[in-house]
């Protein structure tokens, strides 16, 4: 009956596994015991379709199709043909597909239906055969059928993904020229194509055509597509104006606009739309809620972020662990780590299982406020709670301990990291943190010994570091610059020992721009330079008779968390006294005392002598002495 056997030289043998699966399915549909092959019940159309689609090759699909036709009483249908055509399209056997189409009218008594032609369109689209996709219209006509709007829309959908200009030409010539009236889906496809290529102006023209010509009223999907394109291009205000034209905005509309304002950090507008969204009975999706919370937390308004989360939950919606982590991060950022910890403990009760990022945020928060024992407790809880530590876990804790003056504990955590099976591949950051810990505690020899031990893991980084250290001491300025530029060009980052040496050498040479960049880089990376490093800059300012710049520099460093010492103020006081600027000397001296820095005898004697020479400047010596003693 079927002529499909003429299409291939494939054997009519069907693999044993396929036959057994079909037999089992047939048996499950029957209450009788397992039948013999001669008494198998007729397979259903659905069974055959699934078997064809399960095949891993076109030959297997064809063999299954042929085998099914051997069952008495079984007749192939458009669905089984569609399954076989789908499989051939997957392997780009399009010539065979066309032969199957020609066979269908005689085989099953009816031409191919819309579903089959749409399957072919999708297959040709995946194969990037654009011309053949367009020719499907003529292919349908060969069977005396007028292509339906569904077929036209499927072709249009493929074309907009390939080339919007070809899609528009197809719409004008084949559809409008052929008297085919598009529907909402048609215009939605065109709008999608225009917006994907950032042709927003053309998108507005299309919208206007729909409004003026009548017949098709723009729906929320079409509006939302254009709104999304506007927001993606930073035109959120224009999008908000367009939204006001919509008769029935939906939850997606609000998600797009609220997210757009959040991306631009426009919190007020975001909150106004959020209120309107709730007022209309919509609840934003979890991504939008998280964005609102992120913006609130970035401005320190963490309690309001919590209110948003609770309001969403009160509406019967759920957020996720990412939204919860946003809140944990927000509390940690404002120093409320204990509050973050309490929220962390509530997460599981609410059904949000904390993940490794949650634990990492808490560890980082405790390290930031100097609660290192609490950070270690959270670290240990991860093992108890069966949460696998990752690189960020170890890196955050090692840096926190090293920066916090507990480099020996940082070394112990580093050893655990090296033994961990979850951390693959050595990365230099935690090792640089340990070096900083030694540097901060002025354990220079141990820092250099540790750097030398790193050679097995990071041979190039260690070699570049020691090369720069030696050049800073003995090399030329040009050699130092060349070596440093090479390190940065290769993606390297100087550790604090190298940065210390570079700061001193550049300061000696008067290269202040490079020196200040190095210091800024240390601060940005969280490795605050110690006074032994930045005092070199103070000395340079004094030598250049720029003592006021030196004073400002010291105060700036103090504001950034760096701790000046006696050596920071000594050259400044000396220079001011030499210049006879006793009032500024006294003010600088007072600032030093306010920072609990006790002057050494030489500084005290020098200042008192200079002040005694300035009769116009009166101070209460006894009061000053008492202040110094108290300090």
């Amino acid at each position: 009956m079927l002529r499909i056997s003429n299409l291939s030289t494939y054997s009519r043998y069907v693999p044993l596994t396929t036959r057994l699966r079909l037999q089992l399915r047939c048996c499950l549909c029957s209450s009788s015991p397992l039948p013999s092959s001669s008494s198998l019940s007729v397979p259903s159309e659905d069974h055959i379709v699934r078997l064809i689609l399960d095949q891993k090759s076109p030959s297997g699909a064809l063999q299954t199709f042929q085998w099914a036709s051997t069952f008495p009483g079984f007749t192939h249908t458009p669905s089984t043909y569609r399954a076989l055509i789908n499989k051939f399209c997957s392997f780009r056997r399009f010539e065979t597909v066309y032969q199957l189409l020609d066979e269908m009218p005689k085989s099953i008594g009816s031409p191919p239906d819309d579903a089959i032609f749409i399957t072919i369109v999708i297959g040709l689209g995946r194969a990037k055969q654009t011309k053949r996709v367009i020719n499907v219209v003529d292919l349908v006509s060969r069977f005396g059928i007028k292509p339906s709007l569904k077929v036209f829309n499927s072709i249009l959908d493929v074309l907009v993904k390939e080339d919007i200009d070809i899609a528009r030409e197809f719409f004008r010539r084949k559809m409008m020229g052929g008297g085919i009236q598009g529907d909402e889906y048609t215009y939605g496809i065109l709008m999608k194509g225009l917006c994907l290529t950032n042709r927003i102006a053309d998108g507005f023209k299309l919208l206007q055509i729909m409004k003026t010509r009548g017949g098709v009223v723009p729906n929320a999907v079409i509006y939302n597509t254009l709104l999304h394109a506007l927001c993606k291009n930073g035109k959120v205000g224009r999008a908000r104006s367009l939204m006001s034209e919509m008769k029935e905005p939906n939850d997606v509309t609000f998600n797009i606009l609220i997210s757009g304002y959040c991306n631009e950090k426009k919190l007020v507008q975001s909150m106004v739309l959020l209120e309107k969204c709730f007022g209309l009975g919509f609840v934003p999706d979890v991504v939008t809620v998280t964005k609102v919370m992120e913006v609130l937390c970035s401005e320190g308004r963490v309690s309001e972020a919590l209110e948003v989360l609770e309001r969403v939950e009160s509406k019967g919606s759920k957020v996720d662990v990412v939204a919860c982590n946003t809140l944990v991060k927000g509390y940690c950022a404002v120093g409320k780590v204990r509050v973050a910890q309490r929220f962390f403990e509530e997460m599981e009760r609410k059904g949000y299982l904390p993940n490794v990022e949650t634990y990492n945020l808490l560890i980082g928060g405790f390290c930031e406020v100097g609660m290192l024992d609490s950070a270690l407790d959270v670290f240990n809880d991860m093992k108890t709670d069966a949460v696998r530590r990752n690189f960020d876990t170890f890196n955050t804790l090692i840096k926190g301990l090293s920066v916090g003056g507990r480099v020996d504990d940082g070394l112990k955590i580093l050893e655990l990291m090296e033994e961990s099976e979850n951390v693959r591949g050595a990365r230099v950051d935690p090792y640089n943190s340990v070096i900083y810990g030694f540097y901060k505690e002025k354990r220079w020899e141990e820092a250099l010994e540790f750097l030398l031990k790193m050679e097995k893991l990071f041979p190039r980084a260690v070699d570049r570091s020691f090369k720069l250290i030696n050049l800073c001491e003995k090399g030329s300025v040009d050699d130092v610059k060349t070596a440093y530029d090479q390190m940065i060009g290769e993606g390297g980052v100087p550790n604090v020992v190298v940065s210390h040496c570079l700061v001193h050498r550049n300061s000696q040479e008067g290269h202040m721009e490079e020196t200040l960049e190095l210091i800024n880089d240390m601060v940005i990376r969280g490795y605050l330079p110690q006074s032994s490093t930045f005092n070199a800059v103070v000395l340079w300012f004094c030598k250049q008779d720029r003592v006021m710049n030196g004073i400002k520099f010291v105060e700036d460093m103090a504001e950034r968390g760096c701790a000046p010492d006696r050596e920071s103020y000594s050259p400044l006081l000396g220079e001011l006294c030499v210049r006879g600027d006793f009032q500024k000397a006294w003010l600088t001296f007072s600032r030093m005392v306010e920072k609990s820095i006790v002057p050494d005898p030489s500084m005290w004697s020098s200042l008192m002598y200079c002040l005694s020479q300035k009769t116009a400047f009166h101070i209460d010596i006894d009061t000053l002495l008492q202040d110094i003693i108290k300090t």
Side-chain angles (χ1 to χ4, degrees):
M1 179 180 67
L2 297 176
R3 293 192 297 109
I4 192 168
S5 57
N6 299 327
L7 303 180
S8 172
T9 59
Y10 296 139
S11 168
R12 297 178 66 85
Y13 171 72
V14 178
L16 178 61
T17 54
T18 299
R19 285 186 285 134
L20 289 176
R21 287 161 62 191
L22 181 59
Q23 289 171 8
L24 179 58
R25 287 176 179 173
C26 291
C27 290
L28 291 175
C29 297
S30 172
S31 59
S32 61
L34 183 66
S36 64
S37 59
S38 61
S39 60
L40 281 174
S41 59
V42 178
S44 70
E45 173 188 301
D46 183 58
H47 288 160
I48 297 300
V49 167
R50 279 183 282 173
L51 281 174
I52 292 172
L53 294 176
D54 284 346
Q55 300 308 304
K56 304 300 181 184
S57 66
S59 61
L62 180 57
Q63 289 164 6
T64 303
F65 184 92
Q66 292 171 329
W67 177 68
S69 65
T70 64
F71 280 85
F74 179 83
T75 304
H76 281 292
T77 66
S79 293
T80 57
Y81 267 96
R82 183 169 67 251
L84 184 60
I85 287 171
N86 180 72
K87 186 58 65 174
F88 276 113
C89 286
S90 299
F91 289 89
R92 303 189 180 189
R93 303 288 182 86
F94 296 111
E95 297 306 322
T96 305
V97 167
Y98 295 148
Q99 293 179 50
L100 282 169
L101 293 179
D102 291 336
E103 178 181 303
M104 285 184 66
K106 293 183 180 179
S107 175
I108 62 175
S110 63
D113 59 15
D114 279 355
I116 288 177
F117 287 117
I118 291 172
T119 299
I120 295 171
V121 169
I122 294 171
L124 290 167
R126 288 173 179 166
K128 308 294 183 185
Q129 297 195 21
T130 306
K131 187 174 181 180
R132 277 187 163 186
V133 170
I134 297 172
N135 289 338
V136 169
V137 173
D138 299 326
L139 183 63
V140 176
S141 300
R142 275 174 43 191
F143 294 89
I145 306 170
K146 187 176 181 180
S148 69
L149 183 58
K150 285 185 179 179
V151 173
F152 276 108
N153 283 344
S154 66
I155 295 171
L156 193 64
D157 191 44
V158 169
L159 294 179
V160 297
K161 296 171 185 175
E162 292 298 314
D163 190 319
I164 184 60
D165 291 321
I166 294 176
R168 294 171 77 181
E169 183 69 12
F170 175 82
F171 174 71
R172 283 193 296 266
R173 289 194 175 186
K174 294 286 187 177
M175 294 184 69
M176 294 181 67
I180 303 298
Q181 177 65 45
D183 59 7
E184 291 178 342
Y185 188 53
T186 309
Y187 286 97
I189 292 169
L190 285 171
M191 185 65 78
K192 178 180 68 175
L194 292 170
C195 291
L196 284 173
T197 53
N198 281 331
R199 299 190 184 186
I200 296 175
D202 289 335
F204 273 100
K205 290 178 183 177
L206 181 65
L207 190 65
Q208 191 62 30
I209 289 172
M210 295 177 68
K211 291 178 181 178
T212 55
R213 291 186 180 178
V216 180
V217 179
N219 60 16
V221 174
I222 292 172
Y223 271 107
N224 289 342
T225 303
L226 189 51
L227 289 173
H228 182 267
L230 287 166
C231 291
K232 190 175 72 172
N233 284 274
K235 300 177 180 179
V236 188
R238 182 79 181 277
R240 180 68 180 88
S241 299
L242 181 62
M243 178 188 175
S244 63
E245 298 178 12
M246 297 177 65
K247 293 182 179 180
E248 295 182 355
N250 58 18
D251 56 341
V252 177
T253 311
F254 284 100
N255 287 333
I256 292 169
L257 265 295
I258 293 170
S259 295
Y261 278 124
C262 286
N263 291 338
E264 294 190 352
K265 309 300 180 186
K266 293 182 177 178
L267 184 55
V268 174
Q269 293 90 331
S270 298
M271 297 302 290
V272 168
L273 278 176
L274 184 65
E275 284 299 322
K276 187 172 182 179
C277 178
F278 284 132
L280 292 173
F282 299 123
V283 179
D285 63 24
V286 65
V287 175
T288 304
V289 171
T290 303
K291 286 184 177 181
V292 173
M293 293 171 62
E294 285 176 348
V295 178
L296 284 167
C297 289
S298 69
E299 296 194 5
R301 297 162 64 174
V302 191
S303 58
E304 293 177 61
L306 177 61
E307 289 175 7
V308 170
L309 184 145
E310 291 176 341
R311 193 168 179 185
V312 169
E313 290 177 327
S314 70
K315 301 285 185 182
S317 296
K318 300 282 281 185
V319 292
D320 60 11
V321 69
V322 178
C324 293
N325 286 349
T326 300
L327 206 56
V328 172
K329 183 179 180 180
Y331 279 123
C332 291
V334 295
K336 296 182 178 180
V337 192
R338 288 298 183 197
V339 180
Q341 189 176 34
R342 287 198 294 272
F343 179 77
F344 166 86
E345 291 165 355
E346 292 177 9
M347 284 174 62
E348 192 167 359
R349 179 178 58 79
K350 290 184 174 183
Y352 309 123
L353 190 64
N355 59 15
V356 63
E357 176 66 15
T358 321
Y359 286 86
N360 291 347
L361 288 168
L362 269 183
I363 291 171
F366 280 124
C367 288
E368 193 67 28
V369 296
M371 300 172 68
L372 302 179
D373 287 331
S374 295
L376 285 166
D377 289 340
V378 176
F379 177 80
N380 292 327
D381 286 344
M382 294 179 75
K383 186 174 182 180
T384 307
D385 298 340
V387 177
R388 302 179 74 176
R389 301 159 178 158
N390 59 18
F391 172 77
D392 288 337
T393 310
F394 289 102
N395 188 41
T396 301
L397 185 56
I398 292 167
K399 183 174 182 179
L401 291 167
S402 300
V403 171
R406 292 172 59 173
V407 65
D408 293 321
D409 289 332
L411 273 171
K412 293 175 183 176
I413 302 301
L414 181 65
E415 290 172 3
L416 288 176
M417 185 189 79
E418 292 174 334
E419 296 168 2
S420 173
E421 296 180 355
N422 300 330
V423 180
R424 300 294 182 185
R427 281 174 273 185
V428 76
D429 288 353
Y431 294 87
N432 281 344
S433 294
V434 171
I435 293 175
Y436 178 81
F438 285 129
Y439 157 82
K440 186 174 181 180
E441 296 178 21
K442 296 181 172 60
R443 295 159 64 177
W444 292 98
E445 289 186 7
E446 290 172 86
L448 292 173
E449 288 174 6
F450 182 79
L451 179 60
L452 191 59
K453 289 178 182 177
M454 289 167 53
E455 190 170 17
K456 291 182 180 179
L457 292 173
F458 313 101
R460 292 183 65 189
V462 172
D463 178 66
R464 287 186 303 224
S465 295
F466 278 111
K467 180 180 180 181
L468 270 168
I469 291 170
N470 291 328
L471 285 172
C472 286
E473 184 179 355
K474 302 176 182 178
S476 68
V477 178
D478 291 338
D479 289 341
V480 171
K481 186 178 185 309
T482 300
Y484 176 73
D485 289 343
Q486 183 180 359
M487 171 187 280
I488 300 302
E490 294 175 358
V493 178
N495 58 59
V496 290
V497 175
V498 172
S499 295
H500 172 87
C501 295
L502 286 168
V503 167
H504 275 262
R505 182 59 189 268
N506 281 321
S507 296
Q508 291 170 5
E509 301 294 336
H511 298 160
M512 278 300 107
E513 185 176 345
E514 292 85 350
T515 301
L516 295 177
E517 283 180 4
L518 284 163
I519 290 175
N520 286 333
D521 180 62
M522 292 175 71
V523 173
I524 290 169
R525 289 192 288 127
Y527 299 128
L528 299 181
Q530 299 299 293
S531 57
S532 58
T533 300
F534 64 77
N535 283 349
V537 179
V538 178
L539 284 172
W540 183 84
F541 278 124
C542 291
K543 289 179 181 178
Q544 298 299 312
D545 197 24
R546 295 169 59 183
V547 66
M548 296 312 298
N549 294 103
I551 292 172
K552 186 177 184 306
F553 173 76
V554 170
E555 295 304 314
D556 286 345
M557 294 306 294
E559 287 179 7
R560 298 174 79 175
C562 303
D565 59 7
R566 274 199 301 262
E567 283 68 31
S568 307
Y569 285 97
S570 180
L572 298 172
L573 285 170
E575 185 65 24
L576 288 169
C577 288
V578 168
R579 290 167 56 176
D581 198 339
F582 305 115
Q583 186 170 3
K584 288 179 181 176
W586 167 248
L587 291 173
T588 303
F589 183 82
S590 300
R591 288 173 184 165
M592 179 182 73
V593 174
E594 287 171 2
K595 292 181 175 64
S596 301
I597 301 172
V598 180
D600 59 26
S602 63
M603 292 172 64
W604 174 252
S605 299
S606 176
L607 185 63
M608 289 298 97
Y609 175 78
C610 293
L611 289 173
S612 67
Q613 303 303 306
K614 191 74 175 178
T615 56
F617 190 77
H618 302 289
I619 63 168
D620 188 337
I621 300 296
D622 291 335
T623 301
L624 177 61
L625 287 172
Q626 290 174 9
D627 289 342
I628 297 299
I629 292 170
K630 287 179 183 178
T631 303

